[in-house]
Amino acid sequence: MQPQSIEVVRSRLPVPAAPGIALRVPALPAERRGAPMVAPFARALALLGAFTAHDRWLTNREIAQRTGLPPTTVTRIAQSLVLLGHLGYDAALRRYRLAAPVLALGYGAVASCQAHETRDVQRTTRTQMQAFADRYELNVHLGVRDRLDMIVVEACRSVQPTRLQALPVGAREGLAASSAGWALLAALPEAERFYLLEHLERRAPRDWARLRRRCVEGIAQVQRQGFGVAMGEGEGGRTMVCVPLSIEAQAPQVLVCTGAALTRARVEREIGLRLMATADAIRQAARPEKQS
Amino acid sequence: MSAVHAGALPSALLTVERGLQVLRAFRSDRTPLGNAELVRRTGLPKATVSRLTSTLLQLGYLRHAGSSREFELDAAPLAIGHAYVAGSDLVRTCRPVMQALADRLGVSVALAAGNGQDMLYVAYRAGNRVATLRLGVGSVLPMAPTAIGRAWLWGLSEGERSLKLAALMHAAGPRAASLDSGIRASFGELQGTGTCAVLGGYQRNAFGVALPVRIGRQRVVMGLSCGRADLQPDLAKEHRRITPALKDAALELEAALADFDGQP
């Protein structure tokens, strides 16, 4: 096959026009508008993006409506995608469906980081977190493990202005050095915990003895009382309360609330138990979802 | 296939193929890659790769990793994959069988399709004693060193298998000889016991036990595997423990999917 030059156009994709359909082609940041786009490839991605979780099959016309591309163009691109194995075609009913190779376009990476199998669980989780944040005037976030770090994947801020900034989505903390990490380790089966601790030791051999002691204490605390506490140091220091959140068939997560004016007594009598109850409510809500 | 290559829009087809190749080069992994590495992985010219990454960046498939010039996967592939998983009859049908096997053995269970020189996880369930050390749907694993890849190769017809093996050996370069003897050993196990077991084929300390399954009316070959990460697994013991249950589950899966039509 001879290498050929790729068609480059300076234009944006046609804007998908179907009402009520979530657009997959995001609006371009202003400074990127007009940057070169490989048009046939961009159209092929728009075709794949036309399918939502509610569609098993789409006809040529439906795809044309959603992408704003002419039906003849849709046919041509869809044929290419069928050849390349990314779409399946039902010749009798003249309709298309997504095929498994689309999963190799990056779903594995993004999905494992998001740690949410369904959007409904995600929505429930967010609602519960926000309710907690509003009621107790604390910031709440959700962390998952990313290699040897904890990473924030969801964050809700208290409506009351607090003196503390909430940790933003994407923030990282070391697994061995954070109370969220200890809560996660506490919830794991023993073999997996040892496996991770061994890896952590390999990465931080120098101050490992000290780190390991704090880590083991933190894990024991969570296993004993169901939640972990890291009291903020000094006035206005960030106090964190962490509860493991295990939803069946999903990567384990940790629910964390943070606040500045939290006393140990309030954490132990109220906040820790309330946060555990919220984790339970999320778990309960996630259960029926699993049956589908 | 060649007829269409020759007829309908070969240049657009080629362009789409190359674009998807760039996205696939990330191997469903979060490691950031620069244009130079993408050139190396895809074998495409530098100018082509940079136009394709620019397109992927603008459409939300890639983003810049921090402030560097390297790229990492962004959120758009999540939506497409989610649509596939939610709409797939195959995924829905095989879930309960795989979950039961995972819970019973305390392992994770994967169903994978051949994808170039890799295996692509199409369905995945983890047992209740397996929590965090796991791959998932959309994971891309190399075919040659893994149990699931070798089982898939074993399921092919002899002609297809030797073609695929030749391509894998060609790509393996200096590692070809050791890889080849490993693959032959796994084929021997598959012939003897119906399954093969490999330790450390993809992740250190993780093992897999796998067999080929034939799915649906077109009897599409896929790989089915059980795996787990352990500090010091006893591979022979796990192989013996897992094989009977895995074979039962494979039959159950084939029966449940007997009416499935087309490719996964």
Side-chain angles (χ1 to χ4, degrees):
Chain A
M1 209 180 283
Q2 281 295 312
Q4 298 177 30
S5 69
I6 282 181
E7 181 193 342
V8 176
V9 293
R10 288 177 185 277
S11 70
R12 294 186 63 191
L13 280 179
V15 176
I21 303 290
L23 302 186
R24 291 285 170 62
V25 181
L28 304 180
E31 74 274 21
R32 295 223 57 101
R33 274 178 207 157
M37 284 253 260
V38 180
F41 180 43
R43 291 193 198 111
L45 292 173
L47 235 75
L48 295 176
F51 289 82
T52 74
H54 307 288
D55 310 306
R56 193 156 306 163
W57 297 95
L58 288 180
T59 62
N60 192 66
R61 191 154 60 126
E62 287 165 329
I63 297 173
Q65 274 169 0
R66 291 186 185 189
T67 56
L69 295 167
T72 50
T73 308
V74 170
T75 306
R76 235 173 32 222
I77 301 167
Q79 274 177 4
S80 297
L81 288 167
V82 169
L83 270 174
L84 296 171
H86 287 69
L87 287 182
Y89 182 55
D90 175 350
L93 295 168
R94 297 174 157 210
R95 54 187 193 167
Y96 299 92
R97 67 166 168 84
L98 292 173
V102 301
L103 293 171
L105 302 179
Y107 179 73
V110 193
S112 63
C113 187
Q114 296 268 333
H116 292 293
E117 196 163 31
T118 68
R119 287 177 190 175
D120 291 342
V121 173
Q122 198 170 352
R123 194 160 43 227
T124 309
T125 305
R126 215 191 137 74
T127 311
Q128 294 279 353
M129 286 168 62
Q130 190 62 58
F132 187 96
D134 293 346
R135 178 147 179 211
Y136 299 102
E137 296 178 13
L138 297 166
N139 295 322
V140 181
H141 70 256
L142 191 66
V144 300
R145 185 177 71 86
D146 181 33
R147 294 173 205 170
L148 296 180
D149 290 333
M150 290 299 292
I151 178 167
V152 175
V153 291
E154 191 83 80
C156 294
R157 204 179 292 226
S158 156
V159 281
Q160 298 294 323
T162 59
R163 279 178 289 163
L164 270 186
Q165 286 292 312
L167 283 186
V169 168
R172 283 172 184 277
E173 299 177 298
L175 191 59
S178 64
S179 48
W182 305 334
L184 185 105
L185 289 165
L188 294 181
E190 204 168 23
E192 293 189 20
R193 187 161 55 244
F194 287 158
Y195 182 89
L196 285 171
L197 285 170
E198 196 202 45
H199 278 269
L200 286 162
E201 178 171 9
R202 209 170 293 151
R203 193 174 70 165
R206 209 169 295 162
D207 54 347
W208 179 241
R210 185 183 58 85
L211 209 56
R212 186 186 169 95
R213 196 166 50 243
R214 287 178 56 198
C215 191
V216 167
E217 280 165 15
I219 292 168
Q221 185 189 38
V222 174
Q223 288 178 335
R224 195 171 58 240
Q225 63 186 18
F227 57 90
V229 188
M231 292 304 296
E233 284 166 19
E235 199 181 336
R238 189 197 302 270
T239 292
M240 300 182 111
V241 185
C242 306
V243 172
L245 172 59
S246 305
I247 296 174
E248 211 179 315
Q250 287 195 19
Q253 307 170 69
V254 176
L255 195 59
V256 183
C257 74
T258 58
L262 271 177
T263 62
R264 185 174 288 278
R266 185 171 175 226
V267 168
E268 285 175 358
R269 282 190 214 127
E270 183 186 15
I271 298 300
L273 300 172
R274 295 296 176 195
L275 195 61
M276 283 169 70
T278 298
D280 258 341
I282 294 171
R283 232 184 330 260
Q284 291 292 337
R287 197 160 292 156
E289 198 59 38
K290 274 213 69 253
Q291 304 303 321
S292 64
Chain B
M1 193 179 238
S2 53
V4 186
H5 263 277
L9 272 189
S11 108
L13 177 66
L14 187 63
T15 303
V16 173
E17 185 175 24
R18 288 172 159 189
L20 295 172
Q21 207 182 334
V22 168
L23 206 47
R24 278 202 48 197
F26 284 83
R27 308 180 56 84
S28 273
D29 198 277
R30 267 166 290 145
T31 312
L33 302 177
N35 275 333
E37 176 62 16
L38 288 166
V39 165
R40 200 186 65 75
R41 290 191 180 194
T42 59
L44 296 173
K46 190 160 178 289
T48 305
V49 167
S50 94
R51 283 195 292 263
L52 291 167
T53 49
S54 164
T55 304
L56 288 165
L57 200 62
Q58 291 175 71
L59 296 177
Y61 286 78
L62 297 179
R63 63 177 175 228
H64 282 294
S67 56
S68 78
R69 296 181 59 84
E70 296 193 317
F71 307 101
E72 63 185 11
L73 289 163
D74 200 355
L78 178 67
I80 296 178
H82 182 68
Y84 170 76
V85 171
S88 164
D89 291 328
L90 181 133
V91 173
R92 198 182 45 251
T93 310
C94 63
R95 265 183 193 161
V97 181
M98 292 171 63
Q99 187 70 58
L101 181 65
D103 289 341
R104 186 173 152 198
L105 297 178
V107 294
S108 57
V109 178
L111 180 69
N115 192 266
Q117 301 205 346
D118 299 309
M119 297 303 292
L120 170 65
Y121 279 10
V122 175
Y124 182 89
R125 301 313 272 179
N128 39 29
R129 277 168 284 161
V130 181
T132 186
L133 298 166
R134 39 189 241 186
L135 302 156
V137 171
S139 289
V140 174
L141 277 71
M143 184 182 287
T146 54
I148 200 164
R150 292 171 181 181
W152 183 81
L153 286 164
W154 184 246
L156 298 179
S157 72
E158 220 162 294
E160 289 171 309
R161 186 162 60 234
S162 48
L163 276 177
K164 203 75 192 174
L165 279 172
L168 288 169
M169 290 306 120
H170 179 73
R175 293 176 298 114
S178 71
L179 212 48
D180 186 62
S181 73
I183 291 173
R184 300 292 157 192
S186 292
F187 285 176
E189 289 178 14
L190 282 154
Q191 192 151 35
T193 65
T195 64
C196 67
V198 177
L199 176 65
Y202 182 59
Q203 289 177 323
R204 213 170 48 85
N205 293 335
F207 69 87
V209 178
L211 49 59
V213 288
R214 287 167 189 81
I215 297 301
R217 293 187 202 159
Q218 299 184 21
R219 310 207 25 94
V220 178
V221 178
M222 297 182 80
L224 181 68
S225 80
C226 292
R228 201 174 60 211
D230 267 335
L231 276 183
Q232 286 167 322
D234 181 340
L235 187 64
K237 191 174 147 203
E238 292 288 358
H239 192 182
R240 281 195 303 276
R241 181 178 80 96
I242 287 170
T243 292
L246 179 58
K247 281 177 163 173
D248 288 349
L251 289 177
E252 205 184 326
L253 199 67
E254 288 179 341
L257 288 165
D259 287 335
F260 178 80
D261 206 7
Q263 294 290 318

